[in-house]
Structure formats: C-alpha cells, structure tokens
Amino acid sequence: MSARLEPCVSIDFDSSALDEVVTKTKDWALMHGVCMRSRQNFSPDSINFAPFVLVPSTFPKKEFEKAIELQTLVNEMIYRIANNYEFLKTTLAITNTVDPFTAQLFKIYTTVQEEGVSQAIDLGLIRSDVMLGAEPEMPLSSFKLRQVEVNTIAAGFGWLGPSSGRLHRFVMQELGHGDKLQQLPENNALEALCGGMLKAWEIYNQPQAVILFIVEDITYNICDQRFHEFEIRKQNPNVRVVRRSLTQLGRGGAVLDAERKLIIDGQEVAVVYFRCGYAPDQYPSADGCEWDARLMIERSKAIKCPSISYHLAGTKKVQQVLAEPGFLERIFDNAEKVAKLRDVFTGLYSLDLNEEGDRAAEMAIENPEKYVLKPQREGGGNNVYGKEVAEVLKQLKDNPERASYILMDIIQPPLLRNWMIRPSTQPMLVDTLSELGIFGVIIGNSKEILHNSMGGHMLRTKIHTANEGGVAAGLGALDSPFLVDL
Ligand code: ADP
Ligand code: MG
C-alpha cells in the first residue's frame, strides 16, 4: 500500500460543477499564457493550454521550506564542481570512453581550458528537482526530500511554474476557498531567472550588446521561453533578446571577431542562454555545424548560461560520484554544509566495469523495481524502470558500455487524487505524484562567487503509473504546492 496525501479541498464535483470550473479555468489558462504549442496539431500561429491538475497538490511545508533553504548550497556545490577541472576530468574519464555525446562536450571543455578562457564569469540558472520519498508503509510524516537531479542547462518552467500558482489561486477562489490562498507560497521564478541574465549582462558592460537565446527549430514550450524574453524587456527596456538555433549559428549565423566577441548580424552578444543543446538530436547535421557553433560560443567572450563546465557539472555521472562517501567533504570544508546536502541525496551507484559496479548490477537484477537505470542523457524519456532494469543490466554484463549508465534508488512519493486536465480530453480523476523543482541563480568566476540566490520553484505532477512526468513530453501536468503541516 502506498502512502496517500489528502487533497487540499474536496474534489468531489457533480458533472455540471466540474464542467463549469474546468471550462472556465481552461479559458483562464489560454488567456494568461499558461500554454504550449501542440505537437499533434502544430501551427506556429496557435497554442493550447498546457496540461494541469485542477487543484494544487498538498505538500509538507517543512520539506518545502527545507528545499528552498537548501538551494544556495546546491548552487554553491555546482559552482565548485564546475570550477574543478581535475574533478570533472577524473569523474568523466570512463564515461567519455563509452558515451560519445559527453565526450564531445568534454572535448570542447578541454580545448577551451587549454587555450585559456576568454570570459572568466559564468552564469548558472539551475533547477534542483526533488521528490518526497520514504520506505513503503512508513507514515506520511516520515516522507523527506530526495534529490532526483540538478539541471544545469535549459532548466525550464520559470514562467509556467509561477503561472500554475496563479491559476490555482483563481481555481481556489472559484471553488469558494479564497481563505486558503496563504497556503500557496509566493513564487518569483521568472523575475529571479531574468534578473540573473540581466546581472550577467550588466557585468559584461556593453550597453549595445544583446542576450542570445539558443532555441530548437520548433519550440513547443514557447510561452515559457517567450515570457523570459518579455520579462527581460520589462526589467530593462534597453536590452534586446535574439533567438537562434545552433544550426543557424553553425551555418554562418555567428562569427568571432579578433577580440573573441561573439557577433550575430553585426550585434555583439553579452549573454548566451541555452534552451537547447543538451541532447544529441539537437546536434543533427552530418557536418557537425552545431558542434562548431557550440565551440565558437564557448571560445567567445560572451557570458554563457551555462558554460560547458556547468553543463558537465550537471551530468548524471557527476551526481553519482558526488554521492560517494567522502566526495562532498573534498569539495566543501564545512561539515554542516556537507550534512545538509547529503541529507537529500538519493542512493546512487556506479556501474563501471569493476567489482563495485558488478555488485550494484547484481543488486538491481535481483530487485529491479527498487531502482532506476539512467544513461547520461537529459530531457526526459531516457531512463529504464521495472523489469527492464534487470534485462538491460543482464545484456550489458561484461560490456564496457555499462559504465555509460548510473543506478539510482527509486523514490516513491505519496499518492494524491486530483483531476488531470488536458487539451481535447475529458477531465480524468487519477492518482498522481509530484516532483518539485527549485530554481537557483549563481554568478561567479573561478576565484569567487559574485551572486548566489534561490530563484523560485515549479511543481510537476504525473499520473502515478507514468514513469516520467515531462509536461512538454505529454506525461506530466502543471501544478503548484499547497503547504500543510503533516
Ligand atoms: P532527465 O534529465 O531526463 O530529466 P531525470 O533524472 O530527471 O532525467 O529523470 C527523469 C524523470 O524520471 C524524473 O523527472 C522523474 O519523474 C523520474 N525519476 C528519475 N529518477 C527517479 C528516481 N530515483 N525515483 C523515481 N523517479 C525518478
Ligand atoms: Mg529531470
């Protein structure tokens, strides 16, 4: 039996009451940009509302506050790893031999390290994703934060996260629960993330320079991206945002001048914000022009978000090695910080071809449903679950490619009943589970941190039978936390 949370308000509606609130909330979402482009009926001229759950999800206040408080430490951890070439080199050495994508990224990293970096400052806009976990049969009060991963590239939902909170405020009022709004925490993610980009832009100190967003050929999560652009304009009306794909840049759309300024159509670029470039299929051209663009950006004077070192610091292999006994202690000389971070780590295991890796593989083959098998990929839909964990590990026995995966304890959050609302689909009453993401903003050079702050949150919720909950991928739904004392 899985543990269960109580919905924040009654969700037993008769069909006409349900229809009324759902129809009105869909319109609210459409009219407030809580939307995405449709993959099924794509048109550049239209958007659908993004899937959402009807009422906010009950979430323990204590754990929420812990996650918020922890974020600056998570930021600092990423900063320290990203500035530790030797650590990244050692940690990713085996991965680089079996995973060509990580190896390509690493090659750019090494090239730029050997040449000498042109821009000492890095901007990190990161998101630490956590779930509530406990042993089965344990009481609700024993559920604690468990870290799923830290995203250091293209961490989205700075717009959709806070928007979901506003949507839920509207719903709660519609349902006659306006008195409970103080249990929906404030969320300034968009302001914080765009504020981070503008701080970097100011540090670059060239009033004419633009901020470059690296985007996909087709952006489905368009509202989330565009509202970042609009927010930048709002916070500083003098700053221009331009959007380009890696392919465009690699096909002559950008040049480096003699001083290593990155120039696009005659405009100097101050800050490069990647919303793309984390997956192999985002480098599609046979001639490698997207890789040429990535290298050009990395060599440039522009402030990168992320620079290649932050990108590599967010890999799954790095996450696994950090969880090994003694590793955090090498990075931090402060026992209290180490303890706080370690407290949210989930069990992680190396699958390198050695005794330790063999032991982990055997353990997972015996009890596959207790683990998740993860390749070095980002963006959702790549992990292996359940019986397949054992099948894949058996196939990989004695195969060096096993080292391109890591193994992780599965986190089993408490279930919560809610209405799932999707475009062109009837509302569904389902058991759900949630993943909380906390944003962080960090700016620094190899010697010092210049800015470190928590940057708001987002909550994603999925049907409990789905392995993964990507909203853009169609499995998850927008949500916001409703804080309670358990
Ligand atoms: P990605 O980089 O593809 O986002 P994640 O590590 O975040 O990789 O995994 C994708 C999704 O898989 C998560 O959002 C979560 O829903 C699920 N997941 C990942 N790790 C675990 C875990 N240890 N326990 C339960 N679910 C997990
Ligand atoms: Mg993820």
Side-chain angles (χ1 to χ4, degrees):
M1 266 280 289
S2 303
R4 249 177 206 287
L5 290 159
E6 284 299 312
C8 63
V9 293
S10 167
I11 53 167
D12 298 329
F13 306 105
D14 65 33
S15 62
S16 75
L18 180 68
D19 187 54
E20 190 189 332
V21 67
V22 168
T23 306
K24 206 186 274 194
T25 309
K26 285 183 188 178
D27 284 344
W28 194 97
L30 282 166
M31 292 167 199
H32 290 81
V34 191
C35 298
M36 287 179 172
R37 283 206 174 111
S38 166
R39 282 177 195 270
Q40 289 78 33
N41 305 304
F42 174 78
S43 155
D45 296 339
S46 65
I47 45 179
N48 284 350
F49 71 85
F52 61 90
V53 289
L54 188 59
V55 300
S57 284
T58 310
F59 200 96
K61 188 170 175 209
K62 197 168 91 226
E63 296 306 300
F64 180 83
E65 285 172 351
K66 196 162 91 184
I68 294 281
E69 199 204 295
L70 192 66
Q71 189 56 40
T72 51
L73 262 188
V74 175
N75 296 346
E76 187 183 340
M77 176 176 82
I78 294 294
Y79 162 84
R80 285 174 184 264
I81 301 163
N83 282 290
N84 193 331
Y85 181 60
E86 286 309 314
F87 171 83
L88 285 172
K89 195 170 155 190
T90 319
T91 303
L92 294 170
I94 294 177
T95 310
N96 286 337
T97 64
V98 284
D99 183 54
F101 182 68
T102 311
Q104 275 282 11
L105 294 173
F106 205 86
K107 203 170 117 196
I108 294 179
Y109 181 40
T110 310
T111 304
V112 174
Q113 287 292 314
E114 283 170 1
E115 287 177 1
V117 292
S118 323
Q119 176 55 261
I121 303 279
D122 299 302
L123 167 64
L125 298 180
I126 70 184
R127 200 185 70 215
S128 169
D129 289 340
V130 293
M131 286 170 145
L132 292 170
E135 297 297 318
E137 315 289 329
M138 295 289 272
L140 276 177
S141 57
S142 66
F143 277 82
K144 289 211 162 11
L145 294 182
R146 287 281 161 264
Q147 192 166 64
V148 175
E149 66 159 346
V150 182
N151 300 285
T152 58
I153 179 165
F157 289 71
W159 162 253
L160 289 174
S163 294
S164 313
R166 287 188 286 268
L167 177 136
H168 278 152
R169 282 170 190 271
F170 171 74
V171 171
M172 292 294 273
Q173 285 169 325
E174 283 295 309
L175 295 175
H177 296 291
D179 58 320
K180 300 190 176 70
L181 295 189
Q182 75 282 3
Q183 281 169 272
L184 286 139
E186 76 161 9
N187 188 358
N188 297 319
L190 189 70
E191 292 82 345
L193 297 174
C194 296
M197 284 191 245
L198 284 169
K199 271 194 192 79
W201 181 87
E202 280 161 23
I203 291 171
Y204 191 85
N205 198 21
Q206 173 50 254
Q208 299 305 317
V210 301
I211 298 180
L212 167 66
F213 283 21
I214 306 283
V215 298
E216 314 87 327
D217 292 329
I218 298 177
T219 298
Y220 293 99
N221 199 3
I222 188 69
C223 291
D224 199 62
Q225 287 187 14
R226 281 289 187 200
F227 275 99
H228 282 72
E229 190 174 332
F230 305 156
E231 175 67 19
I232 287 170
R233 183 65 92 192
K234 189 169 137 192
Q235 287 188 25
N236 187 336
N238 301 317
V239 179
R240 181 167 193 80
V241 169
V242 295
R243 294 164 59 87
R244 294 287 188 278
S245 69
L246 282 173
T247 315
Q248 287 173 318
L249 298 177
R251 296 241 181 275
V255 287
L256 275 193
D257 76 2
E259 294 166 58
R260 297 212 161 188
K261 291 179 189 156
L262 183 66
I263 310 285
I264 291 180
D265 294 342
Q267 305 170 100
E268 182 173 357
V269 177
V271 178
V272 184
Y273 173 54
F274 285 88
R275 287 293 295 238
C276 183
Y278 50 83
D281 64 3
Q282 294 166 343
Y283 298 76
S285 300
D287 65 357
C289 74
E290 292 84 10
W291 286 112
D292 296 342
R294 186 81 197 255
L295 176 61
M296 185 196 298
I297 294 168
E298 203 58 31
R299 278 179 162 153
S300 79
K301 260 173 119 167
I303 298 178
K304 276 77 70 182
C305 175
S307 57
I308 206 108
S309 58
Y310 275 69
H311 186 169
L312 291 167
T315 52
K316 302 211 162 39
K317 184 65 189 175
V318 165
Q319 182 190 12
Q320 178 257 308
V321 171
L322 276 175
E324 285 177 1
F327 251 100
L328 274 184
E329 286 80 353
R330 282 200 231 163
I331 288 179
F332 287 98
D333 53 9
N334 178 316
E336 196 190 336
K337 288 183 177 182
V338 170
K340 278 189 177 167
L341 282 166
R342 191 167 291 288
D343 187 45
V344 301
F345 281 5
T346 311
L348 285 150
Y349 313 91
S350 158
L351 290 168
D352 292 355
L353 271 202
N354 54 28
E355 246 178 67
E356 186 197 345
D358 289 345
R359 269 201 306 278
E362 276 163 34
M363 177 176 86
I365 287 168
E366 267 169 46
N367 278 308
E369 62 293 331
K370 284 193 168 173
Y371 302 96
V372 183
L373 186 60
K374 298 188 176 186
Q376 303 301 318
R377 288 289 166 272
E378 305 295 326
N382 304 298
N383 300 338
V384 179
Y385 301 86
K387 286 199 188 76
E388 242 189 281
V389 170
E391 284 160 25
V392 172
L393 285 173
K394 280 181 199 162
Q395 277 164 20
L396 288 172
K397 189 171 162 45
D398 301 327
N399 184 338
E401 281 183 22
R402 192 178 74 185
S404 68
Y405 290 84
I406 60 156
L407 187 70
M408 186 171 185
D409 288 342
I410 195 144
I411 313 164
Q412 293 181 297
L415 302 185
L416 176 60
R417 232 160 153 65
N418 210 335
W419 291 96
M420 181 78 74
I421 316 295
R422 304 185 163 287
S424 313
T425 311
Q426 288 302 312
M428 285 186 298
L429 188 58
V430 289
D431 281 334
T432 66
L433 53 87
S434 302
E435 182 170 352
L436 175 69
I438 309 288
F439 293 103
V441 180
I442 184 143
I443 303 176
N445 55 33
S446 62
K447 293 185 189 65
E448 59 177 339
I449 293 176
L450 306 173
H451 174 94
N452 181 6
S453 62
M454 192 284 298
H457 64 273
M458 53 85 84
L459 191 72
R460 267 178 305 177
T461 290
K462 63 183 179 183
I463 300 178
H464 83 290
T465 48
N467 284 323
E468 299 198 12
V471 180
L475 294 164
L478 301 180
D479 197 355
S480 73
F482 182 88
L483 303 182
V484 298
D485 293 314
L486 282 179

